[in-house]
Amino acid sequence: MDSCEQTAAPSTRRTWAASKSEARSGLLFVAPYLIVFAVLLIYPLFSGIWLSLHKADLFGGSQFIGAQNYARLFRDPVFLTAVSNTLYFVLLTVPPLTLIGLGLALALNNRSRWSALLRGLFFSSSVLSVTIVTLIWRMVLIPDGGLIANLLTSIGRSPVAFLSDAHLALPAIAFTTIWWCIGLPMMLFLAALQQVPRDLYEAARLDNAGRWRMLASITLPSIRHTALVVVVIELILQFQLFGQAQIMTLGGPNNASLPMVLFIYQVGFQRWDIGYAAAASEILFGMILIAAMTQYFAARGRESR
Amino acid sequence: MIRWLLGPAVVAAALVAVTGCKPASRGPVQITLQRFFGACDAEFGSSTDVPAAEGECGIITTLINKFNADNPDIRVKVNIVYWPGYDQLSAELAAGHPPDLVTMHESVISDYSQRHLIMPLDAVLASVGVDPAGFTRAAREGVTRDGSVYALPFDTWAPLWHVNLNLMRAAGLVRDGAPVLPHSAEELLQQARQFTRATGKPYLIQSIVNDPAASARNLFTCLMQQNSDFFADPRRIRLQTPEARRVLQLFKQIRDEGLTTRDQDYTAATAAFLNGQGGVYIVGTWMIGTYEQASLQTGSPLAGGYTVVPFPQLYSGRDVTYADGHSWVIPTAKRSAQKTAAIARLLRFLRDNDFQWSRTGHLPAYQDVIDSARWRALPHRTEVARLVDTAAPLPAGVQRQFTIQQIISEEMESAITGQKPIDSALADAERRVNDLLFNLL
């Protein structure tokens, strides 16, 4: 026992020293990222939380008021409208982006020249800036000389004011967003589909499995992790709707298309009420965190079962 | 070998010493000027011919080019911002790097002057002989806060009625070459119906979609005309009044009866008037030049048939129009005396060229320009000259006027289009504005 201990002790020390050295090297490797992460994400997060507890404007003069900004937000009908608009927008965009992205990826997952061309075509909208995208769609949607208005007029129908109708403004922005953003989910799904082993399909064909059977039993289970990534990425992106609403409708009519980020921008930079804007930002952060984590844990739960 | 190596090193060291010890070359003093009014470098980027320039952008661009050409010891670097540019200015001020001279609406000055973010200019203006006594009444009120002048006024502007005389004539609403205008809300409705019956077109062209201010300006004018003291306390607005209700009912009725264009934003409404789609377009002084040019072109729906008048008095209180103005402010920052003197010279130059700027359509900010024969000889200036007496801003103590206009315009739009009852819209507008003002630091 003693001899054992005597021989084991130096060996354990060496192992411990080696692992300590490895940890130090590892830490050195990740240090640049950790520093940037802490300075640009962690610090602003806590700084924002602290700011949200103050009555403050852009030019200082802050005063600690506890949770009053949060209480004020929950009494503010415009903020509550912005929250419900944001949730509605996420519902309008995330499922279609995921399903259409998957559909396009399945359709274009082959080596033909046409598929390559169409993949490039569908992805091309993603490289445009929000200004260009919204200008294009404004020209399609406006009732005075817009593309849809002209088509409707040519068949004797009245033009529809998509961007000034309280019921149509947000769906119009959602449609624009889907057109703009569809490239990323399609590419992610395509990458995942190309990782699925070919021999699984060959085996399935030998077993006389049909296309639907292969889709349900091989393809979809194989790309479930990518599907989760797509949903989480799109949730995070679409909760942060800003440019499209700012340029196309300015949040109107009657705040019907006002998203939370535009509300935060208006309150913070136009009214200088930066403490109030920080409180709204923290609520948005919490909502994105809950939505992304719920999706993540639900998917993990299903997997473990 | 050592000498061979040392030789060039000594020469290089000597060069460094000579250039390093030499006092820094005293080039031109650089001023950063930040403005809106758009970008038009393709057309006017190198022009110094100010009288030949047209439009806000053309005139301000050539003015700055001319100043640079005439003052080789000063270099004005222009930073053009998307209208109105206050978000960017606030960010620059918060970061401690503001520009040296900035365009600012007079209605916005209070926001910055109360936080000491812009400098009082009394001494700067006095140093170059600009006397505030020469400002028009509206301009003086617009730039003065607590007894100090905070800006060099550049113009006064107000919503005007731009009139398509060709269509008005077809509707029998032209007498002795001038448009027949309403003197009451009832007359407005009656004439609008007559116009629409005769021409099949809406009487009014309005920018109501995504327009952060147009509806609010109409409301302010109509409330002032009824002597409604809706900002008796600059920290509290009163909109749940019979006067405000009357105004919203009028504009809602105009819409409900199809007497106005619908669903148009600023761009669409501006083009609609140019294309002859309605009789009257309510928009500011800045469109006079554009529409006057169109009226000189054969084939244009406005050819030989354009005029412009101040907002008619629709209520029996007083003849008044809500007005604002463009001005130049100096953000508070540490600057050398040399740079401040250069800015003062530029301000003097801008003041001396106010006539050129007034060719945009804006009302001059200086009484001597208003009184000059050359200004009165410009098209339609006699028609709008009475604005000098009738233009009125909101009380100087009211802060966040741009946001207030946006809130009121949103709520008015929802009432006029029937998304909300008028009383709810007024109550919501009042609550939202008062919440904003109550929570100011």
Side-chain angles (χ1 to χ4, degrees):
Chain A
M1 185 71 175
D2 281 348
S3 64
C4 244
E5 275 178 3
Q6 275 164 10
T7 52
S11 155
T12 311
R13 268 202 300 277
R14 271 197 303 276
T15 312
W16 183 79
S19 70
K20 196 176 166 191
S21 160
E22 266 177 27
R24 201 179 300 127
S25 319
L27 202 63
L28 273 175
F29 275 111
V30 296
Y33 175 75
L34 275 182
I35 291 168
V36 172
F37 184 75
V39 172
L40 296 182
L41 286 166
I42 303 294
Y43 171 72
L45 175 66
F46 286 100
S47 172
I49 293 170
W50 182 241
L51 185 60
S52 72
L53 304 176
H54 289 74
K55 182 172 181 171
D57 80 12
L58 268 181
F59 305 102
S62 71
Q63 175 193 342
F64 185 81
I65 53 167
Q68 281 182 37
N69 279 328
Y70 292 92
R72 194 177 143 207
L73 277 171
F74 289 110
R75 290 195 307 269
D76 185 341
V78 177
F79 175 71
L80 297 177
T81 304
V83 172
S84 91
N85 288 343
T86 305
L87 291 171
Y88 180 40
F89 180 78
V90 167
L91 271 179
L92 284 175
T93 50
V94 175
L97 278 167
T98 311
L99 295 175
I100 298 171
L102 176 62
L104 286 173
L106 288 169
L108 302 176
N109 184 31
N110 57 62
R111 292 172 188 275
S112 76
R113 199 173 292 172
W114 271 107
S115 293
L117 181 76
L118 289 172
R119 281 199 294 267
L121 201 66
F122 283 117
F123 190 74
S124 61
S125 61
S126 302
V127 302
L128 299 175
S129 79
V130 66
T131 318
I132 305 294
V133 170
T134 49
L135 278 176
I136 292 170
W137 279 94
R138 268 181 63 79
M139 284 191 274
V140 173
L141 296 168
I142 54 173
D144 268 306
L147 179 66
I148 296 177
N150 284 342
L151 289 173
L152 287 171
T153 311
S154 69
I155 56 167
R157 305 287 294 271
S158 304
V160 179
F162 290 99
L163 302 177
S164 54
D165 184 306
H167 302 293
L168 297 177
L170 207 53
I173 294 173
F175 193 85
T176 304
T177 305
I178 293 168
W179 181 86
W180 182 33
C181 298
I182 195 63
L184 178 65
M186 181 191 73
M187 283 299 176
L188 289 172
F189 279 123
L190 270 169
L193 287 172
Q194 284 166 15
Q195 301 298 316
V196 182
R198 299 288 104 186
D199 51 359
L200 287 179
Y201 293 109
E202 282 161 21
R205 273 191 212 100
L206 289 174
D207 289 342
N208 284 329
R211 287 168 70 96
W212 287 110
R213 182 69 180 168
M214 284 195 278
L215 176 71
S217 302
I218 301 172
T219 310
L220 293 181
S222 303
I223 61 168
R224 64 188 185 281
H225 293 295
T226 304
L228 173 65
V229 168
V230 167
V231 170
V232 171
I233 287 177
E234 289 304 329
L235 273 173
I236 292 170
L237 286 177
Q238 304 315 329
F239 262 111
Q240 298 176 62
L241 166 68
F242 174 68
Q244 304 95 297
Q246 162 86 340
I247 298 171
M248 292 175 81
T249 62
L250 212 64
N254 192 27
N255 299 316
S257 62
L258 180 76
M260 288 176 78
V261 181
L262 185 53
F263 174 88
I264 292 164
Y265 173 78
Q266 288 177 347
V267 168
F269 288 94
Q270 293 175 350
R271 304 182 191 180
W272 303 358
D273 201 346
I274 203 80
Y276 193 48
S281 306
E282 296 312 325
I283 290 175
L284 176 62
F285 172 72
M287 284 169 62
I288 296 175
L289 195 67
I290 291 168
M293 289 295 107
T294 305
Q295 176 64 24
Y296 176 75
F297 285 117
R300 277 192 55 168
R302 276 198 300 273
E303 210 166 279
S304 62
R305 277 199 299 276
Chain B
M1 177 70 176
I2 289 174
R3 282 181 63 187
W4 184 78
L5 279 173
L6 275 177
V10 169
V11 172
L15 276 173
V16 168
V18 167
T19 51
C21 293
K22 195 177 157 187
S25 62
R26 300 179 68 84
V29 179
Q30 181 166 298
I31 300 171
T32 307
L33 179 149
Q34 187 158 296
R35 66 164 180 85
F36 43 84
F37 303 127
C40 49
D41 279 8
E43 197 175 353
F44 297 104
S46 55
S47 170
T48 53
D49 188 359
V50 180
E54 292 293 339
E56 289 178 324
C57 183
I59 293 174
I60 191 64
T61 303
T62 49
L63 274 175
I64 301 303
N65 291 345
K66 177 101 173 77
F67 181 82
N68 275 331
D70 293 351
N71 297 272
D73 57 328
I74 301 172
R75 177 81 204 152
V76 181
K77 184 184 151 216
V78 179
N79 182 20
I80 300 168
V81 292
Y82 180 66
W83 186 93
Y86 300 125
D87 304 350
Q88 188 168 332
L89 176 64
S90 299
E92 288 164 334
L93 284 162
H97 296 290
D100 298 310
L101 194 61
V102 186
T103 43
M104 187 171 278
H105 291 88
E106 291 166 3
S107 57
V108 176
I109 288 175
S110 294
D111 294 352
Y112 293 87
S113 66
Q114 295 206 359
R115 300 303 305 268
H116 309 291
L117 297 166
I118 54 174
M119 287 170 50
L121 298 189
D122 306 83
V124 174
L125 295 180
S127 72
V128 284
V130 175
D131 184 359
F135 300 171
T136 60
R137 177 197 53 80
R140 199 165 40 250
E141 280 179 20
V143 298
T144 307
R145 298 289 183 279
D146 303 321
S148 290
V149 171
Y150 274 90
L152 178 87
F154 208 30
D155 61 50
T156 297
W157 58 259
L160 303 173
W161 279 32
H162 298 259
V163 182
N164 183 328
L165 280 175
N166 297 332
L167 289 174
M168 293 290 263
R169 197 171 285 117
L173 289 170
V174 174
R175 198 171 301 143
D176 302 327
V180 176
L181 296 169
H183 295 93
S184 66
E186 293 71 32
E187 262 188 34
L188 169 58
L189 284 170
Q190 189 190 325
Q191 290 179 10
R193 287 176 194 134
Q194 181 181 334
F195 179 95
T196 302
R197 264 199 311 273
T199 64
K201 296 184 176 187
Y203 179 77
L204 281 185
I205 292 176
Q206 287 182 286
S207 156
I208 198 167
V209 175
N210 293 350
D211 194 314
S215 299
R217 289 177 198 147
N218 289 344
L219 178 69
F220 292 158
T221 295
C222 293
L223 288 177
M224 287 172 174
Q225 290 189 351
Q226 296 175 78
N227 289 324
S228 167
D229 201 0
F230 55 101
F231 258 124
D233 173 359
R235 300 279 292 219
R236 190 163 182 79
I237 197 169
R238 278 182 59 244
L239 288 175
Q240 297 188 74
T241 60
E243 292 87 357
R245 200 167 297 118
R246 212 171 284 142
V247 178
L248 263 65
Q249 273 162 353
L250 171 66
F251 280 93
K252 180 164 168 45
Q253 192 168 353
I254 287 172
R255 187 183 192 276
D256 290 349
E257 291 190 27
L259 305 175
T260 180
T261 53
R262 292 179 173 206
D263 304 317
Q264 287 186 327
D265 60 10
Y266 178 77
T267 313
T270 303
F273 184 72
L274 210 52
N275 296 330
Q277 290 175 14
V280 172
Y281 179 29
I282 307 177
V283 74
T285 41
W286 56 87
M287 289 310 300
I288 293 178
T290 307
Y291 291 147
E292 174 61 20
Q293 286 295 316
S295 74
L296 299 175
Q297 289 168 10
T298 49
S300 159
L302 293 177
Y306 165 70
T307 193
V308 60
V309 292
F311 203 107
Q313 187 180 345
L314 297 176
Y315 299 94
S316 58
R318 62 184 169 130
D319 186 10
V320 62
T321 301
Y322 165 76
D324 198 343
H326 298 119
S327 66
W328 296 95
V329 299
I330 304 180
T332 308
K334 273 190 181 170
R335 286 184 192 87
S336 66
Q338 197 187 11
K339 184 175 259 196
T340 306
I343 297 169
R345 274 167 59 192
L346 177 55
L347 289 175
R348 174 79 220 190
F349 174 83
L350 292 169
R351 184 263 176 265
D352 290 344
N353 283 280
D354 198 50
F355 165 75
Q356 295 297 343
W357 179 247
S358 72
R359 292 193 298 107
T360 54
H362 297 307
L363 217 58
Y366 302 91
Q367 197 59 46
D368 60 331
V369 181
I370 297 256
D371 295 338
S372 68
R374 62 175 180 165
W375 182 75
R376 289 187 177 263
L378 292 172
H380 310 297
R381 288 344 189 246
T382 45
E383 286 96 320
V384 298
R386 76 180 162 92
L387 274 174
V388 177
D389 300 316
T390 60
L394 291 186
V398 179
Q399 294 187 64
R400 306 293 187 276
Q401 288 190 28
F402 262 46
T403 308
I404 290 171
Q405 286 181 15
Q406 189 178 341
I407 291 171
I408 291 176
S409 291
E410 274 172 23
E411 295 295 344
M412 275 187 76
E413 183 189 333
S414 62
I416 291 168
T417 55
Q419 294 168 44
K420 261 185 196 178
I422 287 173
D423 286 338
S424 303
L426 287 172
D428 286 348
E430 186 177 285
R431 178 186 49 73
R432 289 175 64 189
V433 170
N434 288 337
D435 179 64
L436 162 73
L437 294 174
F438 176 78
N439 284 293
L440 293 180
L441 263 180

